[in-house]
Amino acid sequence: MKISLVLAALAGSFSVQAQDVKAGEKKIAMCIGCHGIVGYQATFPEIYKVPMIAGQSAKYIVSALQAYAKGDRKHPTMRGIAQSLTEQDMADVAAYYEQQAKAPAAPDTASAAPEAVAKLLEKGACASCHGANFSKPIDGTYPKLAGQHADYLAAALRAYKTEGNPNVGRGNAIMAGQAKQFSNAELKSIAAYLASLPSELKTVPQSKFR
């Protein structure tokens, strides 16, 4: 009896974790209004281009959605969307976006950063987690950064420094410690360099009328 219950629980776990790209394509109606429009800009908490998510790791997308759902990432709109998704929905949507970009792999090493920025990157040990080319993170739950929109990256980095705001901020102790080492101007310089690199990320245009 106990063995049967354990096996049933495991089967349920595996079914939730299984990713279905075709199912994901049917579950992105709430995503394409922002992430399916090239150059689309968010207006909260400030104006910046919404991040490119096509080509990101499925593990990262799931991790980000879970963080929004739990409130570790504070963004009212994204929290509402994430909380409306089941674990299976998140897995399917993530699987869809992981393969959507179909971009060539980024070069193994990134072009040299300006000296001042290189010192900032070394101070933050950014490549140790996000990879030498900033497109091959050491863990799938970490994002690809290369080629991502500079204004979004700067806003995201600043969010790790934000405290005491119920609607803005990101609760990640490691990234908070890293971001707080830098001024906002330095974070902007880092973001501009990362955005200049060859990217595996894209915004793939999609119509709201599907």
Side-chain angles (χ1 to χ4, degrees):
M1 179 69 172
K2 289 183 179 179
I3 293 175
S4 298
L5 290 173
V6 169
L7 290 174
L10 287 173
S13 174
F14 290 138
S15 67
V16 169
Q17 293 175 1
Q19 298 175 330
D20 187 329
V21 172
K22 290 184 178 180
E25 187 175 11
K26 299 175 182 178
K27 298 178 180 181
I28 60 169
M30 290 185 290
C31 309
I32 60 177
C34 295
H35 296 287
I37 301 175
V38 176
Y40 186 83
Q41 295 187 115
T43 57
F44 177 87
E46 59 188 272
I47 296 174
Y48 57 80
K49 294 183 183 68
V50 299
M52 293 178 281
I53 58 175
Q56 279 285 13
S57 161
K59 287 185 178 180
Y60 167 70
I61 295 173
V62 169
S63 177
L65 288 170
Q66 289 174 339
Y68 283 119
K70 291 186 290 186
D72 292 339
R73 287 190 178 191
K74 298 174 183 177
H75 189 288
T77 301
M78 281 303 304
R79 185 174 191 186
I81 291 171
Q83 288 183 330
S84 74
L85 301 174
T86 65
E87 290 183 15
Q88 186 66 61
D89 291 336
M90 290 182 185
D92 293 343
V93 167
Y96 174 75
Y97 277 111
E98 181 179 59
Q99 59 79 47
Q100 188 191 32
K102 296 180 173 61
D108 290 339
T109 56
S111 57
E115 183 178 357
V117 176
K119 290 180 179 178
L120 297 177
L121 293 167
E122 184 177 358
K123 179 180 178 181
C126 305
S128 65
C129 287
H130 295 283
N133 63 357
F134 300 99
S135 282
K136 295 291 183 291
I138 63 170
D139 187 285
T141 60
Y142 301 160
K144 299 177 183 180
L145 302 178
Q148 185 60 271
H149 299 306
D151 51 359
Y152 165 74
L153 287 174
L157 287 167
R158 288 195 302 272
Y160 289 112
K161 298 171 63 177
T162 302
E163 297 178 342
N165 188 320
N167 295 314
V168 180
R170 293 189 175 192
N172 181 301
I174 294 174
M175 280 303 303
Q178 295 293 83
K180 288 175 182 178
Q181 300 180 85
F182 304 109
S183 68
N184 288 346
E186 289 173 329
L187 293 177
K188 187 176 181 179
S189 296
I190 291 171
Y193 165 70
L194 293 172
S196 73
L197 299 175
S199 186
E200 298 176 5
L201 307 176
K202 286 184 179 181
T203 297
V204 180
Q206 289 182 291
S207 172
K208 292 183 179 180
F209 305 100
R210 297 163 62 81

